Amino acid sequence: MRSHRDETTEGLEWGDLLIEFETFPAGLDTAPLLRGLPGDACSCPHWGYVLRGSFVVRYGDREETISAGDAFYLEPGHVPVFLEETEMFEVSPAQELRAVMEIVTKNASELEDVTWR
């Protein structure tokens, strides 16, 4: 199987995994989007690679900065904050991500100034 980032805008399921090429705007703090999830943080693990940009990932006990050229693993319990426009390739368990996105979509509909692609 293959996917090209210009062809994969909504994500593509490969078995139990969802692959996505994503772009997040500079300044996006995902904390308001994650309210209502356990610990008000993303409960889905993600593996990926940052093509450009950077973001901080907050955990209850630490922070990590992930930048262009970095491969990453985000363990459950993370809250990303995007420092600059960030483009990445990401792999997530599809079922877990769907549960998170249900809450994120509900929260986003209640906020006026949240944008991501």
Side-chain angles (χ1 to χ4, degrees):
M1 299 179 93
R2 64 164 287 283
S3 178
H4 188 275
R5 69 180 172 189
D6 294 336
E7 301 167 350
T8 309
T9 57
E10 297 297 319
L12 178 66
E13 286 197 37
W14 285 355
D16 295 337
L17 299 175
L18 182 72
I19 65 156
E20 299 176 285
F21 290 93
E22 301 173 299
T23 303
F24 296 92
L28 175 62
D29 181 346
T30 64
L33 298 169
L34 300 171
R35 284 190 192 120
L37 289 164
D40 291 331
C42 184
S43 55
C44 180
H46 311 279
W47 295 262
Y49 181 81
V50 179
L51 300 165
R52 66 180 172 88
S54 62
F55 62 104
V56 171
V57 182
R58 295 185 178 137
Y59 293 95
D61 61 347
R62 70 189 187 286
E63 287 187 0
E64 298 175 7
T65 300
I66 301 172
S67 301
D70 289 343
F72 62 84
Y73 167 65
L74 305 181
E75 63 190 71
H78 62 274
V79 178
V81 178
F82 294 87
L83 304 174
E84 55 191 308
E85 185 172 83
T86 303
E87 184 178 0
M88 67 176 71
F89 169 79
E90 190 171 77
V91 178
S92 310
Q95 186 173 346
E96 291 176 58
L97 184 58
R98 276 193 291 274
V100 167
M101 291 308 296
E102 185 175 318
I103 299 296
V104 167
T105 300
K106 176 186 172 291
N107 289 340
S109 71
E110 297 170 0
L111 300 170
E112 294 180 18
D113 61 344
V114 174
T115 306
W116 77 89
R117 305 184 277 266

